Amino acid sequence: MSLLCLLILQAACGLAHSTWDNCGGYCGLRAMPYDYGAGAYNYYGMTRVVGGSNVQTADWPWLVSIQHMWIPDTGHLCGGSLIHPQWVLTAAHCFTDVSNISLVYVVIGATQLTQPGPGAQVRYIRQLRIHQYYDPGNNLKNDIALLELDEPVLCSPYIQLACVPDVNLRVSELIYCFVAGWGATTARASSSSDVMQEAMVHLIDLKLCNSSQWYAGKIHTNNLCAGYPQGTIDTCQGDSGGPLMCKDTVADYYWVVGVTSWGKGCARAKQPGVYTSVQHFHDWILVQMGASPYGSAS
Ligand code: 4AZ
């Protein structure tokens, strides 16, 4: 069955939903559903972003590469999530060193950056909105930003919208969570990865994450921690702005519950990845997009 047929079938069955989009009214749908049966992933996750392996084409169809014309090789600056045909959710700290936003563009629908393929679309930035209370001096508090694209993208099997949770989603109960991106694949590497990497991660209790042997009070209530107590698998430099995604408890679609923000090194024990908790910024996102909510993605 072609990817397109699969998407149409899923749409017809009403397996996922969204409110803000013109991409068929759906979000969080992966073109190729995965089998989560016993053994599909081992305890450590089958793949990882640090030290990892490649994803299949169109695995995470809302993950975008934010690029800058002056960055050598692939141009990759940060990850982001397509949450509306014309809006990308990302991290505020990605733009610290960007003085001219017209040099920034977004590649949507690609898996391999050096060979984006016919499914990829490129858009420039109409506006950058950084959270008004983003605080780089306070452990990147409110590390969230939105990019408005110059033109809407067209959804396809390669390009789908992410689902943005509101405060009603019980994030801590979600089990199947993943990170993905083009960030460094070893803690020491400085360059990004050509092929998108993914890893299964566990959400880590904030109290544990903030305890004295871990992040010792640096974690805000608007953060999430995800990874493994022993480290090994984690997001890394270049994954910033990209999504922490969890499968809904009932249906086959994914929520973008976090935006990759920071961490002490990569993949170190008791120093997991730190994410901006998207549900805490649901209303901020709506306001920035100027949406009169047609409802909420609940
Ligand atoms: C970074 O510099 C970065 N291990 C992103 C994620 C993590 C660390 C650093 C988490 O973009």
Side-chain angles (χ1 to χ4, degrees), residues 129-135 141-142 144 281 284 287-288:
R129 292 186 168 246
I130 288 183
H131 197 281
Q132 61 272 33
Y133 298 125
Y134 165 57
D135 189 352
K141 192 174 183 187
N142 304 310
I144 195 164
F281 296 93
W284 179 83
V287 168
Q288 302 310 308

Side-chain angles (χ1 to χ4, degrees), residues 77-100:
L77 171 71
C78 266
S81 300
L82 190 74
I83 60 166
H84 175 283
Q86 210 163 349
W87 290 88
V88 166
L89 181 69
T90 186
H93 84 260
C94 291
F95 304 96
T96 306
D97 296 328
V98 174
S99 50
N100 185 354

Side-chain angles (χ1 to χ4, degrees), residues 139-197:
N139 300 306
L140 304 189
K141 192 174 183 187
N142 304 310
D143 187 14
I144 195 164
L146 282 166
L147 296 173
E148 186 180 12
L149 307 179
D150 60 345
E151 299 268 352
V153 293
L154 302 170
C155 283
S156 73
Y158 301 94
I159 299 179
Q160 294 288 308
L161 304 181
C163 299
V164 176
D166 65 18
V167 289
N168 295 315
L169 184 71
R170 295 200 297 256
V171 170
S172 63
E173 294 177 8
L174 303 177
I175 295 166
Y176 294 110
C177 298
F178 296 84
V179 288
W182 291 274
T185 53
T186 66
R188 282 159 190 253
S190 56
S191 66
S192 46
S193 170
D194 183 27
V195 178
M196 188 196 294
Q197 308 286 300

Side-chain angles (χ1 to χ4, degrees), residues 7 10 13-17 26-36 60 62 163 176 246-255:
L7 280 174
Q10 285 175 323
C13 294
L15 285 178
H17 54 239
Y26 300 98
C27 68
L29 281 179
R30 303 173 72 188
M32 286 178 280
Y34 271 29
D35 174 13
Y36 292 105
W60 303 107
W62 45 86
C163 299
Y176 294 110
C246 299
K247 191 186 158 293
D248 188 75
T249 38
V250 178
D252 253 337
Y253 59 86
Y254 284 80
W255 297 102

Side-chain angles (χ1 to χ4, degrees), residues 77-81 89-96 131 133-145 179-180 215 218-220 222-226 234-244 256-266 271-278 281:
L77 171 71
C78 266
S81 300
L89 181 69
T90 186
H93 84 260
C94 291
F95 304 96
T96 306
H131 197 281
Y133 298 125
Y134 165 57
D135 189 352
N138 184 6
N139 300 306
L140 304 189
K141 192 174 183 187
N142 304 310
D143 187 14
I144 195 164
V179 288
Y215 279 124
K218 295 192 177 75
I219 306 302
H220 297 288
N222 288 354
N223 284 135
L224 294 170
C225 293
D234 196 7
T235 45
C236 203
Q237 197 179 3
D239 292 317
S240 282
L244 167 63
V256 171
V257 301
V259 171
T260 305
S261 180
W262 64 279
K264 185 155 186 223
C266 305
Q271 314 274 261
V274 182
Y275 300 82
T276 306
S277 174
V278 173
F281 296 93

Side-chain angles (χ1 to χ4, degrees), residues 67-71 75 98-105 124-125:
Q67 305 191 358
H68 191 288
M69 286 172 197
W70 291 357
I71 295 178
V98 174
S99 50
N100 185 354
I101 197 68
S102 63
L103 297 173
V104 175
Y105 55 98
Y124 291 85
I125 310 304

